[in-house]
Amino acid sequence: MNKMLKSVLAGAALCTASGMLFAAPKSNNIRVGGIAPLSGAVAVYGVECKNGIDLAIAEINAAGGINGQKIEFICEDDEGDAAKSVSAYKKLITKDKTRIIIGSLTSGCTIAITKQAQANKVIQIAPAATAVNVTDAGNYIFRACFIDPFQGRVGGKFASENLGAKKAAILYDIGNDYSVGLTDNFVSEFTKNGGTIVAKESYGAGEKDFNAIITKVKAANPDVVYLPDYYSTVALIAKQLRAQGVNTPIVGADGWDGLTENADDSVLNGYYSNHYAEDSDSPAVQKFVKNFEAKYGKKPNSFAALGYDSVYMLKDAILKAGTSTDIAKIREALEATDADYVTGHIKFDEKRNPIKSAVMVKMVKENGKLSQAYAATVDIK
């Protein structure tokens, strides 16, 4: 995810893992670096991701660690700023001597350090950076999330097959690579399945009044509206769509995560592609949600789940490699990942992008409050 959202949680820049402070390089434990936006405009995502990482580390350490070694997590706040991501990376590998980094969160901040990580043979795991080129730097760069083209196609397939839509309208941010990329891939999959795009209207970042383009959408009489943007913009557009009488289903992507706390009933009859569903009957999901709620007093979002999975993938790789110090062997074991995690069964393609399913989540009303519920699992072959 690569767009700046409204400023939240500015005071959340707490850069230590649960119970773990900055450690001296002489420590015999497994030192893992972290980079995330813990303050600034996208802190709502970064803090949740770090919470998931902290929970996984706390669980692993409480169970005896990895072959008797505890994990130390040294996390730096990049505030969603690529230049600060670079500074954080340099500090982690020089002062803290880390050879494994989880982060950053947004695609732009993650890409800012991938070439350096590859050159230094530092394993970098990106929990939630969905841009296509994140892993292009080389074989030390991994991610836990699916990529934007995949979820764009998932949205197109769901709209066609699950919702039975034949005509789609699209509203997208023309200046945002995330929104544009999702749009292109939605169009590809939806039309491949026999659908027609009856309206495709763009807007710019920061716009607040969408009524003119919504008038065109209404005139096109679509069966579904595709809206691939972040929750703050989605909430505004959904409200204006409904006000003009466009009551068709709205479909979006993982940038919608956060709507339950930041939207009204206008987003009902809305669906979005996500990395996991908190109400899944998977034992791994149920355990994760239960433990997260016990620790933080709230349900975890997908960013928490992806952070959590990043740690457990690393743990499994270290166990498989039989070493916590031979980074080349850990990298090789990580590349061979083929196991079940909270966000699904994960194995990597040749670019170290996860081959996995996506879930579609439906916006619902529960006990008078906006909530979300599992709607479907979608695979793209």
Side-chain angles (χ1 to χ4, degrees):
M1 310 202 45
N2 54 12
K3 184 179 177 184
M4 302 302 284
L5 307 175
K6 66 179 184 177
S7 180
V8 291
L9 302 176
L14 205 53
C15 293
T16 58
S18 300
M20 305 299 296
L21 299 177
F22 284 78
K26 64 182 180 180
S27 169
N28 188 43
N29 293 332
I30 300 168
R31 188 173 297 102
V32 176
I35 303 174
L38 304 178
S39 63
V42 287
V44 67
Y45 297 145
V47 169
E48 282 298 286
C49 185
K50 182 179 178 293
N51 285 344
I53 292 170
D54 286 349
L55 175 62
I57 290 171
E59 290 176 356
I60 292 167
N61 287 346
I66 305 174
N67 291 329
Q69 290 180 288
K70 299 294 182 69
I71 302 174
E72 297 175 10
F73 187 51
I74 307 167
C75 184
E76 295 293 320
D77 179 11
D78 66 6
E79 301 175 36
D81 182 313
K84 292 180 180 178
S85 304
V86 173
S87 297
Y89 171 83
K90 290 177 179 176
K91 186 257 182 188
L92 287 169
I93 67 165
T94 56
K95 180 181 178 181
D96 301 306
K97 311 297 183 186
T98 54
R99 297 292 303 282
I100 300 167
I101 290 176
I102 298 176
S104 183
L105 195 77
T106 62
S107 294
C109 288
T110 301
I111 292 168
I113 60 175
T114 54
K115 288 183 179 178
Q116 294 180 64
Q118 181 66 29
N120 299 141
K121 295 187 176 179
V122 169
I123 292 173
Q124 181 184 0
I125 304 173
T130 55
V132 178
N133 58 336
V134 164
T135 60
D136 284 356
N139 63 355
Y140 277 78
I141 316 302
F142 296 81
R143 68 173 120 210
C145 57
F146 49 63
I147 60 177
D148 286 341
F150 172 78
Q151 65 167 332
R153 293 177 63 201
V154 163
K157 185 175 182 180
F158 176 81
S160 175
E161 295 186 0
N162 296 74
L163 298 180
K166 301 296 183 184
K167 301 182 296 180
I170 301 171
L171 293 165
Y172 70 106
D173 183 344
I174 197 168
N176 181 355
D177 290 345
Y178 172 75
S179 190
V180 172
L182 288 167
T183 293
D184 291 345
N185 284 278
F186 175 90
V187 170
S188 173
E189 190 70 21
F190 187 74
T191 55
K192 187 181 84 173
N193 281 280
T196 302
I197 307 302
V198 295
K200 186 179 178 184
E201 301 295 330
S202 65
Y203 53 85
E207 288 190 31
K208 303 294 184 185
D209 186 349
F210 304 94
N211 283 294
I213 57 176
I214 288 173
T215 298
K216 297 178 183 179
V217 166
K218 183 178 181 180
N221 193 31
D223 301 320
V224 66
V225 174
Y226 189 56
L227 181 51
D229 210 324
Y230 299 96
Y231 68 81
S232 54
T233 303
V234 170
L236 282 173
I237 294 178
K239 195 177 188 71
Q240 293 174 40
L241 279 167
R242 302 317 191 201
Q244 285 208 38
V246 181
N247 296 314
T248 55
I250 308 172
V251 174
D254 62 344
W256 282 33
D257 210 344
L259 274 179
T260 53
E261 296 84 24
N262 296 280
D264 61 17
D265 289 1
S266 301
V267 297
L268 294 175
N269 201 19
Y271 304 81
Y272 70 96
S273 52
N274 208 357
H275 304 270
Y276 99 117
E278 65 190 34
D279 58 343
S280 166
D281 59 5
S282 158
V285 171
Q286 290 178 343
K287 174 192 170 188
F288 166 64
V289 172
K290 179 182 177 182
N291 290 349
F292 191 95
E293 283 190 289
K295 186 174 179 66
Y296 299 108
K298 59 182 178 179
K299 291 186 182 296
N301 66 18
S302 64
F303 296 95
L306 289 165
Y308 185 87
D309 278 358
S310 297
V311 176
Y312 273 98
M313 283 194 299
L314 178 61
K315 175 201 171 189
D316 291 346
I318 293 172
L319 287 173
K320 189 183 298 181
T323 173
S324 64
T325 57
D326 190 329
I327 296 300
K329 286 186 178 179
I330 297 171
R331 189 215 68 77
E332 186 177 339
L334 187 59
E335 195 168 46
T337 295
D338 189 354
D340 293 317
Y341 296 94
V342 170
T343 60
H345 187 90
I346 297 177
K347 60 190 298 186
F348 291 109
D349 66 14
E350 68 281 358
K351 296 295 286 288
R352 298 154 312 283
N353 298 315
I355 301 169
K356 62 198 297 190
S357 301
V359 298
M360 293 299 298
V361 175
K362 182 178 183 179
M363 302 304 301
V364 297
K365 203 78 176 285
E366 236 177 45
N367 300 319
K369 294 182 179 181
L370 272 181
S371 186
Q372 55 190 35
Y374 170 82
T377 297
V378 181
D379 287 296
I380 299 289
K381 304 299 184 183

